[in-house]
Amino acid sequence: MEKLYTITALSENEVGLLNQISIIFTRRKLNIESLSVSASAINGVHKFVITTVCDEAMAIKVVNQIEKRIDVIRAFYYAEEDIVYQEVALYKVSTPALLEAGDLERLVRKYNARILEMHPVYTIIEKTGHTEETQSLFQDLDKYGVLQFVKSGRVSITKSTIEHVDKYLESQEQRRIELEEK
Amino acid sequence: MAKEKLTGSEILIKSLLAEGVDTVFGYPGGAITPVFDCMYDYQDELKHILVRHEQGATHAAQGYARVSGKTGVVIVTSGPGATNTITGIADAMMDSTPMVVIAGQMPSSMLGTDAFQETDVVGITLPITKWSYQIRRAEDVAWAVARAFYIASTGRPGPVMLDFAKNAQTEVAEFEYKKCNYIRSYNPYPNINEESVRKAAEMINAAKKPLLLVGQGVTLGGAEQEIIELMEKADIPAATTLLGLSSIPSSHPLNMGMLGMHGNVAPNVMTNECDLLIAVGMRFDDRVTAVLDSYAKQAKKIHFDIDPSEFNKNVAVDLSVLGNSKESIAAVTALVEKRENKEWLQMFDRPKAEEKSKVIDVEVAPESGPLKMGEVVSRVSKYTNDNAVVVTDVGQNQMMGVRYSKYSQPRSVITSGGLGTMGFGLPAAVGAKFGAPARTVCLFVGDGGLQMTLQELGTIKAYGVNVKIILLTNTVLGMVRQWQELFFEKRFSETNLSNPDFVALAAAYGIKGRRIEKREELDEAIEEMLQHDGSYLLEAVVAKEEMVFPMTPTGKSVNYVMLNRDEIYKL
Ligand SMILES: Cc1ncc(C[n+]2csc(CCOP(=O)(O)OP(=O)(O)O)c2C)c(N)n1
Ligand SMILES: [Mg+2]
């Protein structure tokens, strides 16, 4: 069954890795719905978080192909229920339009949003949450005309009680020490 | 005392020597000139073979690697030099061949400016290499070379591209070589899971009709002996893929032949009769499986491979065993019971006999009519005592070449499998001879494919390379023509060749040659070719209407086998 999967990859910081990972999706005609790249909890290790719609068998294949790249440490796939995730959205709206409608405070409270900057001409609002929430706020604000809208890729953390990457790195470290001793 | 500093070029050469490289295939040019200049000082230790086209360098390196097990090395210039290697790199990626390609590049200060002969080589090669890296500083040369050889040769082997910026070739750095044996994000020696080995043995012990599928992973893992021990202990019939062909001797009674579209009838048909498929170091390529929906549905399946991304990629399996084939097969064999599978083995007799009488005998022992490809190939095999390195090009010549050759030792078949690259044959044969100078190298090639990399006759001449070229002239692009006849209503669009005088052409390169059309000349011509001290071109003229059978057409099941134009094997 097709659904949204979150695919994460941890990698050494090597130039061109994004390219290496993205072609794996293109080859299999998968759309990347969102993408974020950032530092991870491990020093020097980068984390890619990619969402895509596919079935589980395909998610497994993609993860295997990503992991096959030399500089990728490990890759995983998750269904929605396996992770906690967030997105950040920014909205730029005309200040006079907002003030005229008198709806600003209600919206900010309802969505637990924040005002980042209020200028006589424009107001910038920030909202973190799931796609449905950031999208819903967009629709409410768009009644007064959204001048600009931007949304980050997904950032996510697993609910798993085991840190698989740490385990892998420990076993590799063990291997390195053994090789050194030889 | 500070270490002496060397140029990046010299570091490259010394690093190659430290990796045990003694032969490289290449072609010079502007952006790699400093390296070639340096090679001038190392001629005694590092033999450079100047090919006639960079594609030839890659195929030669592939032939060299496949026959010897060593990593093939290619050195070329930037831009067109680098892009000419693409076909060979893609071919090596598909066929898991260890190869390191070093290409010159513009100095790093000029990168991104569309400088003369600048190409984004890393970008182009990323999808077709195991690793692709740009060296921008002399300090990084030794590290990158060490890493390149480690990656190319370990785990599932493959090609690596080093894009070598010119400034890094001329700048200096301290040299100290440390071989790479560890990369944190890469583990080519996965521990073999005891539990899965135990399960595999259980499944084998429970099977009544097991069938072993042997791929190139057996040769790459050096597991030929282990596979034979498993076959003999549990009395398991084995079939090989195209690239796995020579891993078991053809004469072994449990060797049931080749799988695939033009493979042998028995193993293809029995794939859908067995109760257990044991696949080792193969990737369930569509040429082997035919239509997946009806592929071995009745059988349980075990897949042994060193590349976890192959598991369940094309065919869902019941058990996968990750690891080096030599270790995992030995571990499983220790746990399997000694068996005899007489009845099951007897089931191979009918398809085997039918293929012999309806396909093989017709092909190798015709009494009249024009010469046939299979007959030429089987005679060459006979006169080389089934001991030659068989190199092929692509087309009918390839399928006939591999089908009608026999193999008595490993690493004896060199052919372009996954990519099916016409033009592979001649340069690969040259490389194979450098990789195994003591062996007889026989190339089977078509009149189309020979003309794709014909210029390597120049390399043969220059180095006095001794390869036996058996040219199967049918004056057509035979394999395509076969499809046109079978599936395109005999509309022979653009498959006719108007050939040059190949023997005269060979003579122009100082290569002895002979053209034969008659059956009576065949034996004598082959003997002459084999006795000749040096390269020889034997052109055998065959009919353009010839077709390769058996054949499982695209869209049919693995057990749907055409024995000839009119007859389908009855299950
Ligand atoms: C580089 C390349 N171009 C095209 C093809 C498609 N192709 C496969 S077999 C074949 C015909 C080969 O003709 P020839 O070399 O004369 O061999 P024959 O089949 O006649 O033995 C062609 C064109 C290919 N495999 N490789
Ligand atoms: Mg031909």
Side-chain angles (χ1 to χ4, degrees):
Chain A
M1 194 192 63
E2 295 219 331
K3 58 183 188 182
L4 191 71
Y5 280 98
T6 300
I7 289 170
T8 65
L10 285 122
S11 79
E12 305 290 3
N13 178 20
E14 284 290 339
V15 200
L17 209 65
L18 180 57
N19 195 359
Q20 298 187 39
I21 293 179
S22 65
I23 51 183
I24 291 167
F25 287 82
T26 2
R27 265 187 81 182
R28 294 184 179 264
K29 297 203 183 67
L30 292 175
N31 250 337
I32 292 180
E33 302 287 337
S34 79
L35 164 83
S36 81
V37 191
S38 66
S40 74
I42 307 153
N43 193 13
V45 170
H46 280 234
K47 185 168 183 174
F48 293 73
V49 181
I50 300 163
T51 58
T52 190
V53 177
C54 60
D55 61 21
E56 185 169 14
M58 181 59 85
I60 295 172
K61 284 177 199 177
V62 167
V63 161
N64 281 338
Q65 292 297 328
I66 294 176
E67 224 167 55
K68 194 168 164 176
R69 300 312 307 180
I70 300 291
D71 297 309
V72 172
I73 298 171
R74 289 298 305 270
F76 305 93
Y77 72 97
Y78 304 101
E80 297 290 84
E81 56 273 19
D82 303 331
I83 49 173
V84 174
Y85 59 92
Q86 284 290 50
E87 290 168 6
V88 185
L90 299 180
Y91 312 78
K92 182 177 176 187
V93 193
S94 147
T95 307
L98 270 179
L99 293 178
E100 199 177 308
D103 203 17
L104 183 58
E105 190 196 338
R106 187 186 69 81
L107 286 178
V108 167
R109 284 184 190 281
K110 177 180 167 196
Y111 284 99
N112 207 2
R114 291 204 301 155
I115 295 175
L116 294 183
E117 187 179 341
M118 201 155 185
H119 180 276
V121 176
Y122 61 83
T123 299
I124 295 176
I125 300 166
E126 176 208 276
K127 161 82 194 136
T128 54
H130 288 185
T131 310
E132 307 78 55
E133 304 168 278
T134 54
Q135 200 56 39
S136 167
L137 175 57
F138 175 82
Q139 268 141 17
D140 279 348
L141 286 172
D142 207 28
K143 290 172 199 148
Y144 321 116
V146 174
L147 303 170
Q148 281 185 39
F149 171 59
V150 62
K151 206 175 67 173
S152 74
R154 168 177 290 195
V155 293
S156 69
I157 277 181
T158 66
K159 296 181 185 171
S160 159
T161 50
I162 308 164
E163 302 309 322
H164 294 283
V165 178
D166 293 353
K167 284 229 153 133
Y168 172 81
L169 289 177
E170 272 164 35
S171 74
Q172 279 292 81
E173 184 57 18
Q174 196 57 42
R175 205 166 74 84
R176 190 186 64 80
I177 292 166
E178 279 165 23
L179 285 168
E180 205 117 284
E181 280 166 2
K182 257 189 216 163
Chain B
M1 202 180 78
K3 281 211 193 73
E4 189 197 0
K5 291 197 170 183
L6 306 177
T7 63
S9 298
E10 191 163 9
I11 295 177
L12 172 74
I13 306 294
K14 280 186 170 289
S15 302
L16 292 176
L17 294 172
E19 287 293 340
V21 177
D22 54 22
T23 308
V24 300
F25 302 90
Y27 209 93
I32 195 75
T33 309
V35 169
F36 276 82
D37 180 63
C38 185
M39 266 178 348
Y40 201 66
D41 294 329
Y42 286 87
Q43 291 174 45
D44 296 339
E45 292 129 283
L46 189 66
K47 183 161 62 184
H48 175 264
I49 309 301
L50 178 69
V51 293
R52 295 301 184 261
H53 184 293
E54 290 89 349
Q55 181 185 349
T58 54
H59 296 326
Q62 289 179 276
Y64 179 88
R66 296 257 294 261
V67 82
S68 69
K70 294 200 273 184
T71 299
V73 181
V74 172
I75 306 183
V76 297
T77 191
S78 68
T83 55
N84 275 347
T85 66
I86 299 301
T87 303
I89 294 174
D91 195 292
M93 185 69 172
M94 278 288 223
D95 286 353
S96 310
T97 307
M99 177 162 83
V100 173
V101 179
I102 298 142
Q105 180 57 284
M106 289 292 100
S108 13
S109 60
M110 291 174 77
L111 289 173
T113 65
D114 293 332
F116 179 64
Q117 295 191 334
E118 180 195 348
T119 307
D120 178 4
V121 168
V122 170
I124 293 175
T125 54
L126 268 179
I128 50 166
T129 49
K130 246 184 117 174
W131 191 56
S132 191
Y133 186 79
Q134 187 170 67
I135 307 173
R136 299 193 197 96
R137 308 185 313 166
E139 288 91 316
D140 298 338
V141 175
W143 170 85
V145 172
R147 215 172 131 104
F149 275 83
Y150 179 59
I151 291 170
S153 64
T154 56
R156 178 175 177 176
V160 167
M161 169 59 93
L162 293 177
D163 187 33
F164 195 6
K166 198 168 179 182
N167 63 292
Q169 298 172 32
T170 51
E171 286 163 14
V172 294
E174 284 179 5
F175 175 67
E176 187 192 5
Y177 199 73
K178 199 165 161 276
K179 267 190 117 150
C180 178
N181 64 2
Y182 173 79
I183 293 173
R184 183 168 73 165
S185 56
Y186 171 65
N187 182 6
Y189 303 105
N191 290 331
I192 288 162
N193 182 305
E194 278 175 35
E195 177 63 16
S196 46
V197 165
R198 202 181 48 71
K199 272 197 198 143
E202 254 170 36
M203 286 167 76
I204 294 172
N205 288 337
K208 297 264 178 318
K209 299 191 281 181
L211 177 61
L212 197 61
L213 309 183
V214 174
Q216 195 197 190
V218 167
T219 298
L220 294 172
E224 291 93 349
Q225 200 47 46
E226 285 73 9
I227 276 290
I228 290 174
E229 278 163 23
L230 173 62
M231 285 160 60
E232 290 178 351
K233 187 169 179 191
D235 206 22
I236 309 176
T240 70
T241 65
L242 172 63
L243 299 193
L245 264 175
S246 62
S247 44
I248 316 168
S250 310
S251 59
H252 196 290
L254 288 169
N255 185 350
M256 299 299 167
M258 184 173 79
L259 297 162
M261 181 176 270
H262 295 292
N264 291 109
V265 179
N268 280 329
V269 167
M270 289 304 156
T271 298
N272 276 7
E273 297 295 330
C274 66
D275 63 0
L276 178 68
L277 266 191
I278 310 155
V280 187
M282 57 85 79
R283 58 190 178 84
F284 293 104
D285 176 70
D286 54 89
R287 283 291 186 269
V288 160
T289 62
V291 168
L292 284 172
D293 299 339
S294 51
Y295 179 74
K297 288 294 173 202
Q298 80 294 343
K300 288 223 171 350
K301 302 176 191 81
I302 313 177
H303 192 178
F304 291 84
D305 211 290
I306 194 141
D307 177 359
S309 74
E310 287 301 339
F311 295 140
N312 302 306
K313 187 183 80 177
N314 295 341
V315 172
V317 296
D318 301 277
L319 176 70
S320 48
V321 186
L322 179 66
N324 169 283
S325 51
K326 191 177 179 75
E327 289 168 39
S328 54
I329 296 301
V332 168
T333 306
L335 301 181
V336 301
E337 290 157 11
K338 180 109 185 96
R339 270 290 166 83
E340 272 188 36
N341 294 320
K342 271 214 181 82
E343 272 174 44
W344 166 230
L345 288 169
Q346 274 167 7
M347 287 178 70
F348 287 74
D349 293 346
R350 181 174 73 97
K352 209 173 176 175
E354 205 156 319
E355 180 177 350
K356 175 146 191 335
S357 65
K358 292 186 174 158
V359 183
I360 299 175
D361 289 349
V362 183
E363 187 61 43
V364 304
E367 274 160 20
S368 58
L371 274 173
K372 289 191 144 247
M373 286 194 189
E375 126 181 78
V376 175
V377 174
S378 74
R379 285 307 170 64
V380 170
S381 192
K382 180 182 149 201
Y383 282 104
T384 53
N385 301 317
D386 305 333
N387 224 342
V389 177
V390 175
V391 185
T392 81
D393 205 74
V394 165
Q396 294 183 321
N397 62 85
Q398 174 181 40
M399 288 301 129
M400 293 298 199
V402 297
R403 279 181 60 83
Y404 296 106
S405 292
K406 293 202 170 77
Y407 311 93
S408 59
Q409 55 173 310
R411 295 192 177 278
S412 296
V413 63
I414 293 168
T415 190
S416 170
L419 203 65
T421 305
M422 275 175 78
F424 174 88
L426 185 64
V430 170
K433 187 66 189 181
F434 280 107
R439 297 187 64 186
T440 302
V441 174
C442 292
L443 165 68
F444 297 101
V445 61
D447 40 3
L450 180 65
Q451 295 185 74
M452 279 211 175
T453 46
L454 185 72
Q455 65 278 8
E456 300 310 335
L457 290 177
T459 312
I460 290 177
K461 175 178 194 300
Y463 296 91
V465 189
N466 182 353
V467 292
K468 309 303 181 190
I469 304 165
I470 299 105
L471 170 62
L472 301 167
T473 292
N474 52 7
T475 65
V476 285
L477 301 175
M479 189 55 100
V480 178
R481 187 182 193 280
Q482 173 165 350
W483 283 55
Q484 289 172 333
E485 168 159 358
L486 292 173
F487 314 119
F488 290 87
E489 294 152 5
K490 302 195 182 183
R491 289 156 56 86
F492 298 122
S493 177
E494 300 301 322
T495 42
N496 283 316
L497 294 170
S498 171
N499 282 328
D501 179 342
F502 286 109
V503 172
L505 203 55
Y509 284 98
I511 297 167
K512 195 163 181 202
R514 173 168 174 187
R515 178 179 157 103
I516 56 164
E517 294 182 33
K518 292 206 190 72
R519 183 150 295 119
E520 301 74 57
E521 299 171 282
L522 182 58
D523 290 292
E524 183 225 333
I526 292 172
E527 279 187 299
E528 180 181 311
M529 169 181 81
L530 292 173
Q531 271 155 24
H532 177 68
D533 183 19
S535 277
Y536 191 103
L537 180 123
L538 174 60
E539 180 180 16
V541 180
V542 299
K544 65 169 175 251
E545 294 79 14
E546 251 201 71
M547 290 210 219
V548 185
F549 289 107
M551 178 177 194
T552 300
T554 346
K556 300 288 186 195
S557 302
V558 68
N559 60 358
Y560 180 101
V561 183
M562 294 170 71
L563 297 171
N564 52 50
R565 284 173 170 81
D566 313 305
E567 189 179 357
I568 290 148
Y569 178 78
K570 283 190 200 60
L571 294 174

